[in-house]
Amino acid sequence: MNTLILNSDKKGLEKSVELLSQGQLVAIPTETVYGLAADATNKHAVTKIFEAKGRPQDNPLIVHIADINDWPILVDSIPKKAQILANKFWPGPLTIILKKSNFIPNIVTANLDRIAVRMPDSNLVRDIIRKLKKPLAAPSANTSGKPSPTCMAHVLEDLDTKISAVIDGGECSVGLESTVIDINQEKIRFLRPGIITEKEISEIIGEKIEIDSSIYTKTDNNTMPIYSPGMKYKHYAPKTKIILIECNSKNFVKFVNSKSDCAALCFDEEIEFIDIPVIPYGKENSPNEQAKKIFNYLRKLDNFNLKLAYVHAPKRIGKSLAVFNRLIRASGFKVIRLPE
Ligand code: TXA
Ligand code: MG
């Protein structure tokens, strides 16, 4: 099948709605990353998502809605905390997991009794959902295990001929996937860090949030992380193996300059001092900028055709934690901490 390239205009919108209503897959530009969308109420269409991505069937999908009124039918009930957070952050990069209703087929949620919902901050995507009159199931539009796509070229790199269409919406403004939280326990559980931080959420709700250990630590492949099945899979990995280095700038520069036959991903301030092939991925204190660039640069690393790259790790706090989380997963949890 030829993958159609659609513009992000009225014609592109109408064609997307037509294809989605026929149970086909369309890659859509959200503010976070490109999503691979299907009608969430059509289990045959949703099956195609798992096939196209090579995604394990036990990894559930996020359901995307256009308006806050589309939410109640998908869930058992909406606790007050969830409503407060949705009012504050939607449309935007926050995904909220609640007990599910029977409206969405079980394949979408991998047979879990919980459903992840998000309202993306893209007028085009929300207009598609409104016209289709169905919510969209949409994981990131990459091959499973590869870095998430932040522009149309990445989607085509992975999924050309495997999906019906892609809408060209340019570069994603955030560049990292949404923050994911679960609100089924007494305490809110932070499952995937994003550009909306744990601190912002806990300040609005006025209580401490439980941070899921899978954010920093490896989960055994044979054990299911209790709260988020996706966390057991290797993610975001380029062909080049990567190792994270936690240290200050001076030591990072010294460390990589002592190596040969490898590349580096560094902060902008360090590039002029580094002698090996290197890509700068943003200023040290600009997590927003790093977030926007990191998936693109993980893909670009492969152009050096080297086996290994060292990455100067961002801090494990605030918005930087989101970048750190993607990098540690891309490395397969290989981290070296150098003494200061
Ligand atoms: O920004 C985003 O969230 C993007 C855009 C396209 O919206 N989507 C995205 O989807 O990143 P995906 O499938 O690549 O990541 C969704 C994560 C996975 O780790 C999955 O396991 C988890 O959310 N998840 C989805 N539904 C869940 C559920 N019912 N319970 C627990 N975890 C869930
Ligand atoms: Mg993904």
Side-chain angles (χ1 to χ4, degrees), residues 108-125:
V108 174
T109 52
N111 290 317
L112 296 175
D113 61 353
R114 313 189 301 278
I115 184 167
V117 178
R118 140 169 148 81
M119 189 199 293
D121 187 14
S122 152
N123 289 332
L124 174 71
V125 171

Side-chain angles (χ1 to χ4, degrees), residues 28 30-36 53 55 58-64 93 95 97-98 108-110 112-118 120 138-142 148 176-180 182 191-192 226-231 233 235-236 326:
I28 51 168
T30 84
E31 81 281 27
T32 56
V33 299
Y34 277 66
L36 182 56
K53 278 181 63 86
R55 182 176 176 109
D58 64 357
N59 193 1
L61 309 176
I62 296 173
V63 174
H64 298 67
T95 295
I97 299 177
L98 294 174
V108 174
T109 52
L112 296 175
D113 61 353
R114 313 189 301 278
I115 184 167
V117 178
R118 140 169 148 81
S140 49
N142 51 300
S148 296
L176 284 189
E177 308 90 335
S178 59
T179 302
V180 178
D182 180 298
L191 296 180
R192 180 172 71 181
I226 309 170
Y227 296 100
S228 194
M231 291 298 164
Y233 296 107
H235 267 89
Y236 317 120
R326 303 322 187 266

Side-chain angles (χ1 to χ4, degrees), residues 57-102:
Q57 293 262 359
D58 64 357
N59 193 1
L61 309 176
I62 296 173
V63 174
H64 298 67
I65 57 175
D67 296 285
I68 214 135
N69 296 336
D70 302 341
W71 197 18
I73 193 172
L74 306 179
V75 294
D76 183 36
S77 65
I78 300 177
K80 194 159 168 240
K81 289 179 205 173
Q83 192 67 55
I84 292 170
L85 291 170
N87 290 346
K88 169 79 187 168
F89 292 112
W90 285 358
L94 179 69
T95 295
I96 300 178
I97 299 177
L98 294 174
K99 279 250 148 37
K100 86 188 269 288
S101 67
N102 290 327

Side-chain angles (χ1 to χ4, degrees), residues 3-303:
T3 298
L4 265 179
I5 294 179
L6 304 172
N7 289 326
S8 53
D9 56 12
K10 193 161 169 263
K11 239 171 118 184
L13 183 148
E14 277 163 8
K15 188 68 191 174
S16 312
V17 172
E18 182 192 320
L19 292 169
L20 290 162
S21 66
Q22 293 165 355
Q24 315 230 34
L25 305 185
V26 178
I28 51 168
T30 84
E31 81 281 27
T32 56
V33 299
Y34 277 66
L36 182 56
D39 170 356
T41 65
N42 178 340
K43 56 183 174 198
H44 301 292
V46 173
T47 305
K48 293 182 192 166
I49 294 182
F50 288 92
E51 286 168 1
K53 278 181 63 86
R55 182 176 176 109
Q57 293 262 359
D58 64 357
N59 193 1
L61 309 176
I62 296 173
V63 174
H64 298 67
I65 57 175
D67 296 285
I68 214 135
N69 296 336
D70 302 341
W71 197 18
I73 193 172
L74 306 179
V75 294
D76 183 36
S77 65
I78 300 177
K80 194 159 168 240
K81 289 179 205 173
Q83 192 67 55
I84 292 170
L85 291 170
N87 290 346
K88 169 79 187 168
F89 292 112
W90 285 358
L94 179 69
T95 295
I96 300 178
I97 299 177
L98 294 174
K99 279 250 148 37
K100 86 188 269 288
S101 67
N102 290 327
F103 187 76
I104 295 291
N106 287 332
I107 182 174
V108 174
T109 52
N111 290 317
L112 296 175
D113 61 353
R114 313 189 301 278
I115 184 167
V117 178
R118 140 169 148 81
M119 189 199 293
D121 187 14
S122 152
N123 289 332
L124 174 71
V125 171
R126 293 206 311 281
D127 281 346
I128 292 173
I129 298 168
R130 282 186 197 113
K131 276 223 153 167
L132 184 69
K133 299 195 172 71
K134 299 282 169 58
L136 290 175
S140 49
N142 51 300
T143 300
S144 248
K146 294 276 288 292
S148 296
T150 55
C151 64
M152 184 180 73
H154 298 164
V155 176
L156 291 173
E157 222 171 273
D158 285 10
L159 300 175
D160 194 13
T161 72
K162 293 185 178 165
I163 62 175
S164 294
V166 53
I167 304 176
D168 186 1
E171 225 184 292
C172 299
S173 60
V174 175
L176 284 189
E177 308 90 335
S178 59
T179 302
V180 178
I181 56 171
D182 180 298
I183 313 193
N184 293 295
Q185 317 298 316
E186 206 182 299
K187 282 217 176 100
I188 296 181
R189 186 168 275 265
F190 199 62
L191 296 180
R192 180 172 71 181
I195 225 67
I196 297 174
T197 63
E198 169 251 331
K199 187 158 170 262
E200 280 176 274
I201 294 169
S202 70
E203 272 173 10
I204 284 160
I205 298 299
E207 67 178 37
K208 231 177 124 43
I209 295 181
E210 200 111 357
I211 309 277
D212 203 75
S213 60
S214 66
I215 287 176
Y216 320 92
T217 45
K218 189 171 181 172
T219 325
D220 190 312
N221 248 4
N222 301 315
T223 54
M224 177 73 102
I226 309 170
Y227 296 100
S228 194
M231 291 298 164
K232 77 175 173 178
Y233 296 107
K234 190 171 179 191
H235 267 89
Y236 317 120
K239 290 195 198 89
T240 315
K241 284 204 169 58
I242 72 166
I243 297 179
L244 296 197
I245 308 293
E246 291 190 291
C247 63
N248 63 27
S249 262
K250 196 169 133 248
N251 288 343
F252 182 73
V253 169
K254 202 166 142 202
F255 179 83
V256 295
N257 283 346
S258 72
K259 304 286 173 190
S260 52
D261 283 338
C262 57
L265 273 183
C266 70
F267 298 128
D268 290 358
E269 297 88 340
E270 296 157 351
I271 182 143
E272 58 179 308
F273 306 108
I274 293 180
D275 304 328
I276 62 171
V278 63
I279 304 177
Y281 74 98
K283 292 197 192 66
E284 181 163 15
N285 291 323
S286 293
N288 286 326
E289 194 188 346
Q290 295 164 19
K292 200 165 164 171
K293 290 176 172 175
I294 195 64
F295 284 139
N296 188 18
Y297 290 164
L298 280 176
R299 282 177 186 258
K300 284 225 164 95
L301 266 184
D302 290 339
N303 295 342

